[in-house]
Amino acid sequence: ARRALARAAEVDGALRGAQAVVSPVQVGGTVYYRVLVDPAASQSEVEALRGSAAAVLGVRDPSGWIPRRTPMGFLVDRFESLADAQARAATLRERGIWAYVREVEGGGPAFAVYVGAYEGTSDAATLARQLRSAGLGDARFVRRVGRVPAEPPRNR
């Protein structure tokens, strides 16, 4: 987990308009921590993000990295201010939970704090257990919406 969090921290903020997301998954009894970079709306955006992330991480050949559709995540909280959302995400990151902020529309500016990014509920079971253990059992598994805030995250 620590290695994934460190790699996500390297990528997060280094890529304009993108953010790193850490998503634990269990495969064959072993928990792996996927570091995802999103959003990407097209194959060309996927390729651009792959190349940029590889450059930041010093990876020569990222061709083995698998693009994934990950529309779902856990909504932890919502705030009216970006500063409050970033503070909540920073607090969760200090606890080893990789949280990130998205700016969402609807009734004025709002900022959502999410954890994880998944294709569906079966992939998200490991993170759901981790969130319950951390006292965040009320986080809802929802379709992730919004855009990366224009201002980079604080308190990395």
Side-chain angles (χ1 to χ4, degrees), residues 74-76 88 92 95 97 115 127-128 130-140:
F74 289 92
L75 176 63
V76 176
R88 177 71 164 137
L92 291 169
R95 293 174 54 192
I97 299 167
V115 178
L127 182 55
Q130 290 175 353
L131 292 173
R132 280 192 301 275
S133 294
L136 297 168
D138 58 344
R140 294 187 347 252

Side-chain angles (χ1 to χ4, degrees), residues 60-82:
R60 291 184 189 186
D61 181 14
S63 63
W65 293 354
I66 302 167
R68 299 176 187 279
R69 294 189 193 283
T70 55
M72 307 298 289
F74 289 92
L75 176 63
V76 176
D77 222 330
R78 280 181 73 127
F79 295 91
E80 290 184 13
S81 84
L82 176 58

Side-chain angles (χ1 to χ4, degrees), residues 8-14 90 93-94 98 151-156:
E10 286 180 64
V11 171
D12 202 37
R93 286 182 181 194
E94 289 169 5
W98 190 268
E151 185 179 316
R154 312 178 311 173
N155 301 329
R156 282 182 219 254

